Amino acid sequence: MPRLHPIIHAAGAEGRHPDWAVMSPARRRHTERVGQLLWEWSGTLGHDRMRRIRWRAAGLLHDALKDESPETLGPEVEDAGAWSGSLLHGPACANRLRAAGVEDASLLRAIAFHTTGHADFRALGRALYMADYLEPGRTGLARERADWRRRMPSDGCAVLGEVATAKIGNLLHRGIPISPVTAGFWRAVTAPPATIR
Ligand SMILES: [Fe+2]
Ligand SMILES: [Fe+2]
């Protein structure tokens, strides 16, 4: 893996957010807890230190623009019309990182689509999607979340399916339209594993 970009290193190794981050103190703590889960899972998976820093950085950075207004973020996102305002912070953050010189495509995709999921998620995208939902500061479904966390990362494939079911099921329950990108993610999550012949 190439050297980590300074923004990624600062976030993942030192817990520092970029100076353009717009987050309440509670939001900062949420990103720290998500980063901590990713750091732990990455360690259990036997990743080297650089990869662990990269995983933690994704947690630290994913909501860096969550408290910025959609009016400010909309012009920064090419297909802004495809996103509801509250979800623009993902692609806008990925764009800011890209503009700063971050070239790590799977990390950028993980951050851009952390709310929706994406069919082309690599391991980090899937892990961030789960960690964002499972971090211990979230209050609802406390017992279920603790149980899911206990099964991570060894049972990650099954937990991903269950977390996606919970998140997408919640959208369906509330009558919220499922975007094509989320539908593609759901197909990827539920696809039978490829057979080797
Ligand atoms: Fe978010
Ligand atoms: Fe988040």
Side-chain angles (χ1 to χ4, degrees):
M1 185 179 296
R3 270 168 51 85
L4 294 170
H5 186 282
I7 292 180
I8 304 303
H9 190 272
E14 297 156 32
R16 278 197 286 128
H17 294 97
D19 53 12
W20 43 261
V22 180
M23 285 187 291
S24 67
R27 189 84 62 201
R28 284 177 185 269
R29 291 193 292 275
H30 160 68
T31 66
E32 287 161 5
R33 289 190 296 267
V34 175
Q36 180 62 26
L37 268 187
L38 290 167
W39 173 261
E40 289 168 12
W41 294 348
S42 184
T44 305
L45 290 167
H47 295 168
D48 63 20
R49 179 170 164 76
M50 192 181 281
R51 195 162 177 207
R52 292 187 78 187
I53 290 172
R54 176 173 168 265
W55 275 43
R56 182 173 177 229
L60 263 286
L61 295 170
H62 79 284
D63 274 344
L65 292 173
K66 175 81 184 224
D67 294 320
E68 183 56 278
S69 72
E71 291 72 31
T72 299
L73 299 180
E76 299 184 22
V77 176
E78 203 175 298
D79 57 344
W83 297 84
S84 77
S86 64
L87 305 187
L88 282 170
H89 66 280
C93 180
N95 284 348
R96 296 246 190 137
L97 293 170
R98 197 179 288 110
V102 176
E103 296 176 337
D104 183 338
S106 51
L107 179 133
L108 294 172
R109 185 180 303 121
I111 289 176
F113 296 96
H114 73 266
T115 56
T116 58
H118 194 289
D120 296 332
F121 268 169
R122 306 288 296 271
L124 176 54
R126 296 192 290 269
L128 176 60
Y129 180 87
M130 289 187 275
D132 190 22
Y133 189 71
L134 298 182
E135 67 96 341
R138 292 200 184 267
T139 49
L141 297 176
R143 243 204 344 241
E144 288 86 345
R145 284 192 164 97
D147 189 52
W148 276 317
R149 283 196 303 274
R150 250 192 311 276
R151 291 165 54 200
M152 287 298 294
S154 59
D155 199 15
C157 277
V159 173
L160 176 64
E162 292 167 36
V163 166
T165 299
K167 288 186 70 169
I168 297 169
N170 184 43
L171 297 177
L172 293 171
H173 188 69
R174 291 158 60 202
I176 295 172
I178 303 300
S179 69
V181 68
T182 294
F185 171 62
W186 177 246
R187 277 197 297 277
V189 167
T190 54
T195 52
I196 300 168
R197 286 186 283 176

